[in-house]
Every structure is written in C-alpha cells, then in structure tokens.
Amino acid sequence: MSTLGRENNPSISVCCQVCPRGERANLQNVCERCTESPELYDWLYLGFMAMLPLVLHWFFIEWYSGKKSSSALLQHITAMLECGMSAVVTLLVTEPVGKLSIQSCRVQMLSDWYTMLYNPSPDYINTLHCTQEAVYPLYTIVLIYYAFCLVLMMMLRPLLVKKIACGLGKSDRFRSIYAALYFFPILTVLQAVGGGLLYYAFPYIILVLSLLTLAVYMSASEIQSFKNLIAKKKRLVVLFSHWLLHAYGIVSISRLDKLEQDLPLLALVPGPALFYIATARFTEPSRILSEGGSGR
C-alpha cells in the first residue's frame, strides 16, 4: 500500500492507495513493479498446490472405479492431462503473458499473505481498506489454476467416462466427477484462508502424509516382505510414488541451499519402507495375540 499525508497535519496518513495488481509497496510506501523470479521454494509450493487436485482425482477414480473396471487407467491419464494443461494455461496467462514463467514479489513474512488483517486506522475510528496481493502472484495463481482444472474436467471427463466406464453402473461411473465438484471448493477455501500457513508448512505436510499413507497401504495390502512387495506392479508404482513425495518434501525443507550437505539427505527416502518391511513380522497382530495367550 502507499499512503499520503494530510495537508494540515502531515504526521497522520489518511489517504491509503492500493497498489495495482503486480506491484507492491516498498519501505518508502511507494508502489514498485514485481519483476523478480520466484525462488526454488516458491516453485515447490506451487507444485504442491498443483499436485493436490491431481492426487485427489486419482484417489477418487481408484475408489469408485471398482476392481472389475478397466477404465481407471484412462481416467488417471485424463486427470493428469487436465491438470497439466491447466498448469500450462495458467502460466501463459500470468505476467509475462505468453511465457512459461512468472514475475513475483518475494515473500518476506507470514503477514504478507493476509494484508486484509492489517488495514490501518489513522484516527482509530475509520478503517482504510488497502488490501492487496503482496505475494503476487502466489495467492491468486493457485485459484486461477483450480478454475482451469474444473473447467477442463467438466469439458473432457464426462464424455470419456460415458464411453469407457461400461463396467460400472450409471450412478457409479460419474462419482469421481461428483467428488471433484466437492473437493475443488474445499481446496479453494483452503487456499483463500490458509495459503500463508500452507506456504510455510507444506514440506512437513508432505512428509507426514506420505509416511502415513504408505504405512496404511502396506498394512492393508499385507506387505511383510520384499517378495510381497514385488508380487504386483501396482505396489511398486505406489511405492515409487511415495518415494518421490518423500524426496519432494526433503528438497522443500532443505531448499538445496548447500548441495554437498542436502543431497545426501535423499538417501533417507527408502528408509521408511525398508523399516516397515524389516519390522512388520514382529508387529503382526495374530502373532502378538498368540504370544500373549501363551504367556510369553
């Protein structure tokens, strides 16, 4: 925001002007154009927010496709194409228009995300509304991306599902689309309200959720050895997907500021899966119950 003083009392700022979109006030309260390139951490944050709808699409497609349906793979690919096309279009319509790059203002503190909470009150009576996007375009670009994802899904997915999901009932084949109509508004509200919190917490969210989901999947699939793990290709796909998420979270936390110190941390990626397989036989519920019944 930029402020101008009152003529008869210059010490009181009464005129608060909102900087145009794509600009931010400097220390002298003068609007300056955002011309910096996003840092690696900013791109990782945008990548995380872009992955959320894709992961939810895949989850609900798998959930509602059924074991006998052969349409799940094509729906997975279609969801990935929708999100990929949405990301490209979003970058193209963001400054500089027509290029796969963006110009941004650097995030300095958490309050940069919530300028609406810091509107000044010079006389402690009247509030001057100077809300702006101080973290341009990290706040609105995610919302634009979600809008494109929703539009492309409504244009492409119903036609695809109607043709290929013959193994499902009429009421079941569109359930993954209905689910998206619920989670897109939730993601929009999440970004609008908690965007700043997610910006600082997303690396830890990735690590925690990936560890929990991997443990739940391996437990539900009764994977207790490497033989069980490589018995099905789908299990290897799920394992490598979780390893990619682990690596993504580690890179986001370390930010690769010092390559010689941060890159060796990636060796920890297989650790949780190896630890689970090594200890699964000792935590088998039936074995614990049998040993407890025998008084050991």
Side-chain angles (χ1 to χ4, degrees):
M1 67 188 74
S2 61
T3 57
L4 298 177
R6 185 186 297 175
E7 293 182 0
N8 58 356
N9 191 352
S11 63
I12 301 178
S13 297
V14 297
C15 183
C16 178
Q17 300 176 348
V18 179
C19 292
R21 188 170 186 267
E23 297 185 10
R24 177 177 179 174
N26 57 19
L27 297 177
Q28 290 75 34
N29 290 330
V30 177
C31 294
E32 289 184 345
R33 191 72 180 172
C34 297
T35 58
E36 299 179 345
S37 298
E39 297 178 340
L40 174 62
Y41 188 83
D42 298 334
W43 284 114
L44 292 172
Y45 165 74
L46 293 178
F48 168 74
M49 299 305 293
M51 284 191 296
L52 286 180
L54 179 59
V55 172
L56 290 173
H57 275 314
W58 284 349
F59 173 80
F60 286 109
I61 288 171
E62 193 69 26
W63 184 269
Y64 291 120
S65 292
K67 296 182 178 179
K68 297 182 180 181
S69 176
S70 59
S71 65
L73 178 60
L74 288 177
Q75 292 187 64
H76 287 320
I77 296 175
T78 304
M80 185 171 62
L81 291 177
E82 292 167 4
C83 294
M85 292 171 58
S86 300
V88 172
V89 174
T90 302
L91 291 176
L92 291 176
V93 300
T94 305
E95 292 289 339
V97 178
K99 296 183 179 180
L100 294 177
S101 60
I102 59 177
Q103 296 175 346
S104 67
C105 294
R106 294 289 173 85
V107 180
Q108 300 175 3
M109 59 186 71
L110 179 61
S111 60
D112 291 342
W113 290 83
Y114 303 103
T115 56
M116 74 288 294
L117 302 178
Y118 297 92
N119 291 321
S121 300
D123 54 3
Y124 300 99
I125 298 176
N126 299 313
T127 300
L128 303 177
H129 297 282
C130 302
T131 302
Q132 66 178 94
E133 187 181 8
V135 294
Y136 172 87
L138 300 182
Y139 189 89
T140 55
I141 194 174
V142 177
L143 302 178
I144 296 172
Y145 166 74
Y146 289 161
F148 280 123
C149 284
L150 183 59
V151 171
L152 288 178
M153 182 196 70
M154 296 304 298
M155 292 175 58
L156 302 177
R157 193 84 63 81
L159 298 175
L160 175 70
V161 172
K162 187 176 181 180
K163 290 185 177 181
I164 66 175
C166 300
L168 299 175
K170 292 184 178 180
S171 60
D172 295 333
R173 63 178 65 180
F174 295 107
R175 283 190 175 183
S176 62
I177 300 177
Y178 297 152
L181 297 179
Y182 281 100
F183 70 67
F184 268 118
I186 294 175
L187 290 178
T188 300
V189 173
L190 186 65
Q191 166 67 8
V193 177
L197 299 176
L198 289 174
Y199 178 80
Y200 289 100
F202 82 89
Y204 308 98
I205 295 175
I206 290 176
L207 286 180
V208 173
L209 289 182
S210 61
L211 289 174
L212 289 177
T213 53
L214 179 61
V216 171
Y217 176 80
M218 297 182 74
S219 176
S221 302
E222 298 182 354
I223 300 175
Q224 298 184 357
S225 64
F226 289 103
K227 184 178 180 180
N228 299 137
L229 183 61
I230 63 177
K232 297 181 180 180
K233 294 181 179 179
K234 182 179 179 180
R235 294 179 178 178
L236 292 176
V237 172
V238 172
L239 177 64
F240 288 128
S241 299
H242 280 83
W243 282 1
L244 288 176
L245 289 176
H246 296 343
Y248 196 95
I250 292 174
V251 171
S252 301
I253 293 176
S254 64
R255 306 192 185 189
L256 298 180
D257 293 330
K258 299 180 179 179
L259 292 179
E260 65 278 3
Q261 296 181 7
D262 298 334
L263 285 181
L265 293 176
L266 297 178
L268 300 174
V269 168
L274 298 177
F275 178 80
Y276 181 91
I277 293 176
T279 59
R281 57 180 179 176
F282 301 110
T283 57
E284 177 65 29
S286 59
R287 177 176 178 175
I288 296 175
L289 292 175
S290 62
E291 291 182 354
S294 61
R296 295 182 182 179

